[in-house]
Amino acid sequence: MTHRLAVLSAAAVLLALAGCHASQPIIEVPVSNWPGYEYMYLAHKLGLDRRSGITVKPLQFPDPQTIVHAYLRGDVPLAQLTTVEAVDLCSRAPSRCPVIVLILDESRGGDQIAVARSVPNLAALKGQPVAVTFSTLGPYVLSRALEQQGMGLADVQLRNIPLAQMPGALRSGDVKAAVFFPPFSDYAARDGVSRPLFDSRAIPGEVFDVLAVDPQYLARHGDTITALIRAWEAAHDAARRNPAKTIALAAQREQLTPEEYRQAEQGLVYFNLDQQRPMLQPGGVLARNLEAVQAVQERLKLTAPGAPVPKVEARYVEAAR
């Protein structure tokens, strides 16, 4: 009898635990290939999301522009994007202009322009075909590089090409340059037919990756977003404690060798939650970045004038600490 009661008690505990797990909010997080976006995936892979009281469901997208379109269609309530693309979202859908709640990374070398070996310098790209993404990020980075040569986007032939096809386009000679980032820039570097000639180290403080959330979703699910941020921070802590394990997991997903992935992360700067608090305040680093990005976007006629700028909220980071 005592044994039977023990079995029933154990079963009750298991059912209770299962019930707790089943009641955890499930949050779908869009992911495209870029080292800075891997920590949401790692939070799920390492079980850190469940410890934070949620279940992260990573949704794989081929490139950031497909995430932009998914957000515009209302398919996803949040997105991992650059501030360039977040500003683009506000221009396209002002009523759903997202709120920025977390800085995923700053690109300082990750975003780059690679050119064919026959191209001696950026000035030699005049009149040449250059591959850029369908989003506004590629044209933005390219325009900032061309400005240093007294040139603009009108001086080159822009070719909208999916990121995965850019290494092949460089290899075949269909384009003379490509604006991309890891892992796609690493794929292109493997055959030696191109070399990087410009990267985001030349424009510090201009390219941030952020977590952008639909304002209506945020109003209803603020606690879930706080838990997501907590899981993201836990993934970074895990990476610091056991880099070999996390690099192996992320590199495999990005189809890079561990060394390639390690090198790719050298072009990113991460900020912990304590560091982010002042950066996310009104008038802080991120608010100034968004205003500057919007000004450049409007000047380049990449976005419509007069659109709202994404709001920045520090309280979710503060709650997650």
Side-chain angles (χ1 to χ4, degrees), residues 22-239:
S23 66
Q24 286 188 339
I26 298 174
I27 183 166
E28 296 182 333
V29 180
V31 176
S32 60
N33 284 7
W34 165 249
Y37 299 159
E38 288 299 322
Y39 288 86
M40 296 296 187
Y41 163 76
L42 287 171
H44 174 69
K45 191 72 175 176
L46 299 172
L48 302 170
D49 53 348
R50 274 85 76 193
R51 293 183 196 174
S52 297
I54 59 172
T55 298
V56 172
K57 183 180 178 181
L59 299 179
Q60 178 64 37
F61 286 80
D63 56 53
Q65 187 59 23
T66 54
I67 296 178
V68 168
H69 288 154
Y71 183 93
L72 291 172
R73 291 192 304 268
D75 294 345
V76 295
L78 71 165
Q80 297 187 98
L81 297 168
T82 65
T83 49
V84 175
E85 289 148 345
V87 167
D88 188 25
L89 278 177
C90 291
S91 176
R92 297 191 189 198
S95 65
R96 295 185 64 230
C97 182
V99 180
I100 308 303
V101 298
L102 178 70
I103 299 170
L104 301 169
D105 63 74
E106 181 189 346
S107 175
R108 293 188 195 168
D111 293 272
Q112 61 182 250
I113 302 173
V115 300
R117 291 285 177 182
S118 60
V119 177
N121 49 50
L122 288 172
L125 288 177
K126 188 175 181 68
Q128 298 297 322
V130 179
V132 294
T133 55
F134 291 87
S135 77
T136 52
L137 176 62
Y140 180 92
V141 173
L142 179 61
S143 70
R144 298 293 284 118
L146 293 176
E147 283 176 1
Q148 298 182 3
Q149 307 299 319
M151 298 164 60
L153 294 177
D155 292 308
V156 300
Q157 300 177 37
L158 296 180
R159 299 280 177 83
N160 290 127
I161 296 177
L163 284 161
Q165 296 178 20
M166 287 187 186
L170 276 169
R171 192 180 308 114
S172 66
D174 289 345
V175 297
K176 294 296 184 183
V179 188
F180 47 16
F181 45 78
F184 308 100
S185 54
D186 292 279
Y187 303 157
R190 288 172 180 171
D191 57 24
V193 300
S194 61
R195 72 187 197 285
L197 205 56
F198 179 90
D199 64 46
S200 49
R201 285 176 296 182
I203 48 173
E206 293 195 32
V207 183
F208 287 91
D209 287 286
V210 295
L211 182 63
V213 186
D214 180 291
Q216 294 182 359
Y217 179 89
L218 186 60
R220 297 193 304 270
H221 303 285
D223 290 345
T224 301
I225 293 300
T226 297
L228 179 63
I229 292 171
R230 193 174 291 122
W232 175 88
E233 178 78 341
H236 275 279
D237 288 341

Side-chain angles (χ1 to χ4, degrees), residues 257-273:
T257 66
E259 182 55 31
E260 285 175 327
Y261 185 85
R262 193 176 290 107
Q263 288 297 319
E265 281 207 298
Q266 295 301 308
L268 282 73
V269 176
Y270 298 117
F271 306 96
N272 64 36
L273 299 187

